[in-house]
Amino acid sequence: ALLRAELLKQRSTRTTLGLLATMLGLILLAEVLHGFGLRAKDLDSAASQLRVLDPGQIIGTLFAALLGAMSITGEIRHGTIRPTFLVSPGRIRVITAKVLASMLAGAGFGLAAGAVAVGGSTAALRARGITTYLDAGDCVLPILGGAVAAALWAAVGVGVGAVVRNQVATLLGLCAWLLFAENILLGDLANLDVGRYLPGAAAAAISGQKPDTPLLGPGIALVVLMLYAAAAAAAGWVETNRRDVA
């Protein structure tokens, strides 16, 4: 019942639709800019054309994380978390339902992001008369892997939101980490072989981003990101259970 309620919230709130529309618009814009902005000689192989998909996958992962964070911080911000806990006093069950519902919605975000990224970049290349070297097999990892990475990052978002509680701080923190901090750390820690174990780098490996960067294999990256998601959810359970709602 809790899971059905959370899924209903995800489907019926305008915030989810707004996030989805914004995400798809940003991905389409990024793919068109990359498809038309790069020189033709820089797009003469499958590997180089796969790199054009990176912005779409990063944006999909980010918006799935924001979706998960807003599922808990939105209720805390507007006070609706109080009647939620009155109806369902088992707080751990509530957070678990939010994690599962956000993962399902996040997977949908990831699938949509991957499909739009592939479609937008392919259309841009064909409009320029550039031969596309990507076949169906090349697109499996960006689309399906992106969906898995987005689902796990949605769980991370719920956990971080439950710990931080402040909506603005949570959303800004997730954006800063995925868009800026990890890129800096991945470069600084590359020689120490540590940066590729970061959660954003693991998501990039699962979804086939940054093929020219030494990341983990998709299987190992999946395990690493699952551990991050489990740790974030566990932290959210603990903090929600011990803090006052008011």
Side-chain angles (χ1 to χ4, degrees):
L2 283 172
L3 180 58
R4 286 197 300 270
E6 292 300 326
L7 289 172
L8 178 61
K9 292 175 186 177
Q10 296 282 10
R11 295 196 309 269
S12 59
T13 57
R14 287 179 293 179
T15 300
T16 302
L17 295 176
L19 281 175
L20 180 61
T22 303
M23 179 193 75
L24 296 179
L26 287 175
I27 291 172
L28 188 58
L29 176 62
E31 296 302 331
V32 168
L33 289 176
H34 280 73
F36 283 99
L38 296 175
R39 295 176 300 178
K41 67 178 183 179
D42 294 329
L43 298 169
D44 58 356
S45 66
S48 62
Q49 291 180 4
L50 277 174
R51 284 194 291 272
V52 179
L53 304 180
D54 286 358
Q57 295 160 5
I58 295 170
I59 294 171
T61 301
L62 173 62
F63 271 77
L66 298 181
L67 176 71
M70 293 181 72
S71 72
I72 179 68
T73 58
E75 288 213 54
I76 294 173
R77 179 181 181 183
H78 297 291
T80 56
I81 196 69
R82 290 191 288 271
T84 296
F85 285 152
L86 285 174
V87 173
S88 305
R91 296 186 180 186
I92 292 180
R93 294 177 61 203
V94 172
I95 298 301
T96 301
K98 288 185 177 295
V99 168
L100 294 176
S102 295
M103 289 182 70
L104 289 172
F109 271 48
L111 281 173
V116 171
V118 170
S121 62
T122 301
L125 295 178
R126 288 179 176 174
R128 294 178 62 186
I130 298 175
T131 303
T132 55
Y133 297 98
L134 301 180
D135 56 24
D138 295 321
C139 299
V140 169
L141 190 60
I143 294 177
L144 297 184
V148 173
L152 292 172
W153 259 99
V156 172
V158 176
V160 172
V163 172
V164 178
R165 294 169 44 117
N166 182 278
Q167 187 173 68
V168 175
T170 302
L171 301 186
L172 287 178
L174 289 170
C175 290
W177 179 263
L178 275 172
L179 297 179
F180 302 107
E182 281 227 11
N183 288 325
I184 296 172
L185 292 174
L186 187 60
D188 291 343
L189 300 177
N191 294 331
L192 300 177
D193 202 32
V194 176
R196 58 184 184 159
Y197 288 94
L198 296 172
I206 295 171
S207 56
Q209 297 174 36
K210 303 178 181 177
D212 53 350
T213 304
L215 299 175
L216 297 171
I220 299 175
L222 175 61
V223 174
V224 169
L225 191 54
M226 287 174 65
L227 292 175
Y228 276 114
W237 294 333
V238 171
E239 289 300 309
T240 302
N241 220 25
R242 74 179 186 86
R243 283 180 175 175
D244 191 357
V245 181

